[in-house]
């Protein structure tokens, strides 16, 4: 027993040291690292979906005879596109509008039909952001932009306006990127022109966009 006592004492002294050496990682081993923090873009850009809607007017509705009265109405538009960097967006759209014209308006019907009409327009659009304004965090959330588009306009009723036309529109707008990152809201005023019929119009269009 007396011979075993020094061995037991030595074991008591050296076992904690050996255990500590096993717990300490060597210089060549991979130490645990903190998970890198996830960062988000303050403004999301990429593929987007937009919705527009508001009042519209045609100053001289298309007609080959009879009066061409000032016509008010409503328009709605959906748009799918992609942001090409910070300043340029390209997309396709589908627009519908309904205009009041009154019984004196006969369009191209030679008196066989009269009254209100609707318009459906698929087409393509481009948006150029011209001037950006930064907020207190130096993030450009507010932009002044110009938007131009062209589409194929189809009318109803056909008896009133039998032929399709090319619609061209352009105008300025203001857009604000919200702190929800994916969403932006805007307001634009656009001028419209039906190329072959020589009809002018304009619209005021609040809008909202979601970028994926």
């Amino acid at each position: 027993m007396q011979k075993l006592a020094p061995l037991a004492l030595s074991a008591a002294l050296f076992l904690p040291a050996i255990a500590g050496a096993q717990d300490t990682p060597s210089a060549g081993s991979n130490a645990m690292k903190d998970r890198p923090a996830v960062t988000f873009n303050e403004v999301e850009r990429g593929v987007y979906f937009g919705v527009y809607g508001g009042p519209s007017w045609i100053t001289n509705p298309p007609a080959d005879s009879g009066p061409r009265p000032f016509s008010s109405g409503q328009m709605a538009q959906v748009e799918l596109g992609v942001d090409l960097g910070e300043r340029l967006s390209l997309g396709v759209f589908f627009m519908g509008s309904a205009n009041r014209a009154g019984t004196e308006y006969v369009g191209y019907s030679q008196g066989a039909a009269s009254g209100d009409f609707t318009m459906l327009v698929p087409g393509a659009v481009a948006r150029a952001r011209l001037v950006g304004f930064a907020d207190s965090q130096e993030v450009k959330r507010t932009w002044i932009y110009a938007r131009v588009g062209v589409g194929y306009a189809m009318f109803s009723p056909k008896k009133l306006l039998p032929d399709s036309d090319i619609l061209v529109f352009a105008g300025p707008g203001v857009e604000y990127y919200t702190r929800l990152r994916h969403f932006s809201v805007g307001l634009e005023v656009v001028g419209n022109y039906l190329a072959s019929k020589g009809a002018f119009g304009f619209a005021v269009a609040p809008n909202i966009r979601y970028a994926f």
Side-chain angles (χ1 to χ4, degrees), residues 1-12:
M1 291 295 293
Q2 292 179 351
K3 294 181 178 180
L4 295 178
L7 294 176
L9 179 61
S10 298

Side-chain angles (χ1 to χ4, degrees), residues 69-120:
F70 185 89
S71 173
S72 63
Q74 297 287 329
M75 60 80 64
Q77 183 179 149
V78 293
E79 180 180 331
L80 180 65
V82 61
D83 295 317
L84 303 178
E86 185 180 63
R87 292 184 176 268
L88 180 64
S89 300
L90 300 177
V92 294
F93 70 88
F94 187 83
M95 181 177 71
S97 68
N99 286 79
R100 300 181 62 84
T103 57
E104 70 274 17
Y105 174 68
V106 297
Y108 288 82
S109 71
Q110 299 295 323
S114 65
D116 305 342
F117 61 94
T118 61
M119 182 169 57
L120 298 177

